Amino acid sequence: HLAGVCLAGGRPKDAIAHGKRTLEDRERVLGPDHPDTIASLSALAAAYQSARRLKDAIPLYERRLESRIRLQGEDPPDTITARGNLASAYHSAGRLAAAIQLYEQTIASSQRAHGPDHADTLTLRANLAQAYYAVGRLSDAVALLRGVAADCERVLPPGHALAKTVQESLQAIAGE
């Protein structure tokens, strides 16, 4: 947990150092599939991503997702989160086709697990719209963001941060 504290404190280099040690210790003592080991994978990947070391983060996110699918299946919340984190890392790394594919899979899982109006599902849809925009699919991005904006207005409390972010994205992309 020290890695998470360092990361929250804006010290990604310290988070990486602590995260590496913790992951190595947990793999050795608990094994690769123990929940604490998988949590350490996630923490270290997040530290790498925060430090913009995506080449180091992505393999850890991939390993975490593989473990979650193998141990829990496609739709449990941990698997959905793991897939969403990997999609985000791919997006940040410019691997947009892979990000779009994972966002689409993650949205389907999130809709099955949480429903179409859950904040996580709405966030994933907004992230997919950003990926569409990044690959030049402007009409798809705008249509998706308009739908997310309408859904946010319908189901979230006034002033919700997600609704504001979606509106800002829609303004930036479509001038609305």
Side-chain angles (χ1 to χ4, degrees), residues 3 12 28 37 48 52 85-86 110 118 125 128 132 147 149-150 155 172:
R28 182 176 32 78
T37 303
Y48 279 133
R52 305 205 189 290
N85 290 153
L86 179 56
S110 186
H118 191 277
R125 289 173 52 212
L128 176 60
Y132 283 163
V155 301

Side-chain angles (χ1 to χ4, degrees), residues 149-162:
D151 290 342
C152 284
E153 187 175 317
R154 183 175 50 80
V155 301
L156 297 176
H160 192 280
L162 176 59

Side-chain angles (χ1 to χ4, degrees), residues 23-93:
L23 178 59
E24 290 168 1
D25 290 346
R26 286 182 173 174
E27 286 177 325
R28 182 176 32 78
V29 174
L30 303 173
D33 290 334
H34 191 279
D36 290 345
T37 303
I38 295 169
S40 293
L41 275 172
S42 181
L44 181 55
Y48 279 133
Q49 187 169 6
S50 179
R52 305 205 189 290
R53 292 177 54 182
L54 294 168
K55 288 183 180 180
D56 295 313
I58 287 172
L60 296 175
Y61 281 133
E62 289 170 339
R63 185 172 149 204
R64 176 178 172 223
L65 177 58
E66 291 166 6
S67 293
R68 294 291 84 192
I69 290 171
R70 184 171 31 82
L71 297 170
Q72 294 183 330
E74 293 287 334
D75 293 341
D78 288 346
T79 303
I80 294 167
T81 299
R83 188 179 289 111
N85 290 153
L86 179 56
S88 175
Y90 282 160
H91 191 160
S92 296

Side-chain angles (χ1 to χ4, degrees), residues 1-7 11-26 40 43-44 47:
H1 297 316
L2 188 53
V5 171
C6 290
L7 189 58
R11 298 179 7 227
K13 288 182 182 178
D14 292 335
I16 290 167
H18 291 295
K20 282 181 178 180
R21 281 193 299 275
T22 302
L23 178 59
E24 290 168 1
D25 290 346
R26 286 182 173 174
S40 293
L44 181 55

